[in-house]
Amino acid sequence: MSATRLLVLGVVRMFGRAHGYQVRRELLSWSADKWANVQPGSIYHALKKMAAEDLLEKIDVEPGDGGPDRVAYRLSPAGEQEFQVLIAKGLSDPSASNAELCAAVSLMPALPRKYTISLLRQNLIHFEAEERRSRLSLEDDTWGKPPHVYELFRLWGGIASASREWLAGLIERLEAGEYVMADDPGSAFGPPAPE
């Protein structure tokens, strides 16, 4: 999965129709260039590639002022399906990269609240298991590891613990009604896609 792919699909979906500059401006306002390494060239490349894959439909082409034409895109039905798969994976799959998780969290208001919570709970189970595994590794001295290797297990446990605490807090905030989700009145993402 690619964080750029998810972000581009999500922003086009959020606007309903968008051109490359609009997508770029939105993602830069989220600082996605820093946490997901989304660069302007990768945005335009993703738009063209996903249009070629029939995930995006070109709906309007305006001549550029001495530069390239400005093309507006919207999600196709296949693009909506791809978006749903990528965001669900980003929120629930422990093998998703940090950038993919961040992209999915930034777009989670596109999903219904209960569905989002259920996806996040799947990831929470992973972080709880990682914490236990790191504790067991620290207690296990049967392999005669060099003493400094235990710092790796402490680091591993610390990352898992911080991730678990953050994720548990996010789930609590969602359960308490924070954030406007797709199935809430006033959602910026419109009605939720069928589950």
Side-chain angles (χ1 to χ4, degrees), residues 17-25 44 47 62 70-73:
R17 69 182 294 281
H19 50 77
Y21 178 74
Q22 219 174 351
V23 174
R24 177 177 173 245
R25 186 181 62 222
Y44 292 103
L47 287 166
E62 300 171 13
R70 180 177 276 188
V71 179
Y73 300 91

Side-chain angles (χ1 to χ4, degrees), residues 156-174:
W156 179 23
I159 292 169
S161 177
S163 298
R164 181 197 47 76
E165 287 176 25
W166 165 78
L167 200 47
L170 174 57
I171 290 167
E172 284 177 21
R173 289 185 291 280
L174 285 168

